[in-house]
Each structure stands twice: as structure tokens, then as C-alpha cells.
């Protein structure tokens, strides 16, 4: 079955520290993976997708098919990075459904 | 912002009442989706629609109903049969073309509380 696991409910770091938000997936096909972010009082928005191999706001994520992981990383956290982060897997079996992880709240302290 | 709007922002319902949540998009997207967001559970798909006059059940459709009479609109009705309707409801839309470039864009959400 398709599944996305984010093992940490809360990740608390100090400003300037490295950040890694973990995401593991279970999917028999070729995965399409995304990170979405929800800042306080704002709508859920796409942060990045693995296929674009891009860096957004200093965040990167590499797909590791061997470990079935798609961890989100940033070398130096900023206070404005504090938000809820969701990893999502696109299931395209006849329709395009996003399967979300439970989310990780990132708190960056000054 | 813009593109996808949801109303109302807050909604209160008495037990036994049906309520309808509005979702409108002006992105010319074919596909629309309804998700429910609960603390600690991420987002779960309620219903989705790939084209006008067609929709399919998602993972937690029981107690909900939808319609898709217009491309721009995808209202969700929370019926009295939904046992635990208090939640944050998110609407999304996408081109529906599928991977690799299909992206879902989300509305601001409606918070429903049952009194």
C-alpha cells in the first residue's frame, strides 16, 4: 500500500543550525514526491518537488530510492522557516491523488 | 494568493444539520479535490473530480457529498451522517494532466466546528 511516513511531529532547532525533516515512503511504482509547507495563517503551498531538483528558500530534498526516503534539508535554519511541513506522494493509478504524511512542525528559535 | 477561494472561513454546525462548503477556482483547472486536515493526521482525501459532472470517492468519503456542475466550482456537503465533522477542510485544484508537472494548489481552508 502507498504510504508516507514523517516520524517527527516536532523538530525544534536554533537559528543557524542545520535542519533535516525526514520523510519515508512506500510505493511500488516510480515515485513523484513533494514537500508542502504551511506557514502560520497561510494556505498550504508547494515548497519543492523532487523532479525539479531545485532549491527553494535554501531547502533541498533528494530522492533516495534505495532507502525510500525524501528528506528535506537546509544547512542554516532561519526563524521564518518555522512552519508545518508535509511530505506528499503522488499516486497516479488512474487518477492523481496526493498521499500526505502526518506533517512535522519545525520550530526555529532565536 | 487568489486562484482558489473557499467560503466561509469559519462555519458552525449544530448536530443533525447538513452544511455546504464552497470552493471556487479561476485557474481553468480540470481537477479539483477536497481534503480533511486533522492534527497529527496530515491531509486525507475526501472526494476528487477530474472533469465536470464526474467525481470519485477518496479515502474518507462517508458522510460527505459533492457536485461538479461547473468547472470552477466544487462544493462539499457535510451531512449529518458524518460522525466527527469538526475539522479543517481544504480544497485544491490542478490541471489534472498528471506527472511530472501536475501540481495541486490549495485554498485557504474552512474550519468547521460542530456545536
Amino acid at each position: 500500500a502507498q504510504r508516507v511516513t514523517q516520524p517527527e511531529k516536532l523538530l525544534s532547532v536554533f537559528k543557524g543550525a542545520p535542519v533535516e525533516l525526514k520523510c519515508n515512503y512506500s510505493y511500488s511504482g516510480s515515485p513523484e514526491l513533494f514537500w508542502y509547507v504551511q506557514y502560520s495563517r497561510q494556505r498550504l503551498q508547494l515548497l519543492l518537488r523532487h523532479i525539479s531538483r531545485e532549491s527553494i528558500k535554501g531547502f533541498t530534498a533528494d530522492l533516495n530510492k534505495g532507502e525510500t526516503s525524501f528528506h528535506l534539508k537546509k544547512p542554516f535554519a532561519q526563524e521564518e522557516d518555522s512552519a508545518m511541513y508535509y511530505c506528499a506522494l503522488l499516486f497516479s493509478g488512474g487518477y492523481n491523488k496526493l498521499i500526505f504524511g502526518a506533517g512535522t512542525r519545525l520550530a526555529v528559535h532565536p | 494568493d487568489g486562484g482558489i477561494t473557499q467560503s466561509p472561513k469559519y462555519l458552525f454546525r449544530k448536530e443533525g444539520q447538513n452544511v455546504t462548503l464552497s470552493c471556487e477556482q479561476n485557474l481553468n483547472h480540470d481537477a479539483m479535490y477536497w481534503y480533511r486536515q486533522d492534527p497529527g493526521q496530515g491531509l486525507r482525501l475526501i472526494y476528487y473530480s477530474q472533469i465536470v459532472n464526474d467525481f470519485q470517492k477518496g479515502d474518507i468519503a462517508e458522510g460527505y457529498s459533492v457536485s461538479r456542475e461547473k468547472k470552477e466550482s466544487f462544493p462539499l456537503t457535510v451531512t449529518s451522517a458524518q460522525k466527527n465533522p469538526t475539522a479543517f477542510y481544504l480544497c485544491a485544484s490542478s490541471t489534472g494532466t498528471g506527472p511530472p508537472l501536475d501540481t495541486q494548489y490549495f485554498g485557504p481552508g474552512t474550519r468547521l466546528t460542530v456545536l
Side-chain angles (χ1 to χ4, degrees):
Chain A
Q2 305 81 26
R3 179 183 295 177
V4 175
T5 303
Q6 294 179 252
E8 303 144 326
K9 288 185 178 180
L10 171 66
L11 183 61
S12 186
V13 302
F14 287 104
K15 177 182 174 181
V19 168
E20 183 179 56
L21 288 85
K22 292 184 175 9
C23 172
N24 289 90
Y25 67 91
S26 174
Y27 186 53
S28 57
S30 183
E32 297 284 341
L33 289 151
F34 305 80
W35 277 98
Y36 278 82
V37 60
Q38 192 170 29
Y39 300 102
S40 178
R41 302 182 189 279
Q42 294 187 28
R43 68 181 66 192
L44 190 67
Q45 58 187 281
L46 178 68
L47 180 62
L48 55 79
R49 67 175 77 216
H50 92 270
I51 197 167
S52 299
R53 297 185 177 275
E54 57 199 345
S55 174
I56 303 294
K57 300 184 178 183
F59 285 98
T60 59
D62 292 320
L63 176 62
N64 186 323
K65 290 187 178 182
E67 296 183 358
T68 60
S69 68
F70 187 55
H71 303 328
L72 183 67
K73 300 177 183 179
K74 185 170 183 176
F76 307 103
Q78 302 299 315
E79 289 181 67
E80 54 265 31
D81 296 328
S82 296
M84 195 74 181
Y85 290 80
Y86 292 96
C87 182
L89 168 71
L90 183 66
F91 174 73
S92 54
Y95 56 92
N96 300 311
K97 179 176 82 169
L98 277 176
I99 299 169
F100 284 86
T104 297
R105 179 166 298 283
L106 174 63
V108 182
H109 303 285
Chain B
D1 283 355
I4 303 177
T5 58
Q6 291 185 241
S7 62
K9 187 174 181 179
Y10 299 98
L11 186 58
F12 298 90
R13 190 194 91 173
K14 293 182 180 179
E15 297 245 6
Q17 280 184 338
N18 292 354
V19 291
T20 298
L21 285 60
S22 169
C23 177
E24 304 277 332
Q25 54 97 1
N26 62 2
L27 300 170
N28 199 33
H29 284 168
D30 286 312
M32 297 187 74
Y33 312 81
W34 274 105
Y35 292 89
R36 170 177 170 144
Q37 187 178 25
D38 295 282
Q41 295 194 53
L43 282 73
R44 292 178 291 167
L45 183 65
I46 305 172
Y47 267 97
Y48 65 97
S49 170
Q50 295 282 73
I51 56 173
V52 174
N53 292 322
D54 184 61
F55 49 84
Q56 303 295 328
K57 292 181 179 180
D59 299 318
I60 54 165
E62 184 176 352
Y64 300 98
S65 65
V66 294
S67 62
R68 186 84 186 277
E69 298 176 0
K70 297 188 299 182
K71 188 175 185 177
E72 307 79 33
S73 178
F74 191 40
L76 173 74
T77 296
V78 184
T79 74
S80 57
Q82 169 50 233
K83 300 303 180 188
N84 184 22
T86 294
F88 192 55
Y89 291 87
L90 287 170
C91 179
S93 72
S94 74
T95 59
T97 54
L101 296 177
D102 199 9
T103 300
Q104 290 190 22
Y105 296 90
F106 286 81
T110 292
R111 185 167 297 282
L112 173 64
T113 302
V114 174
L115 302 173

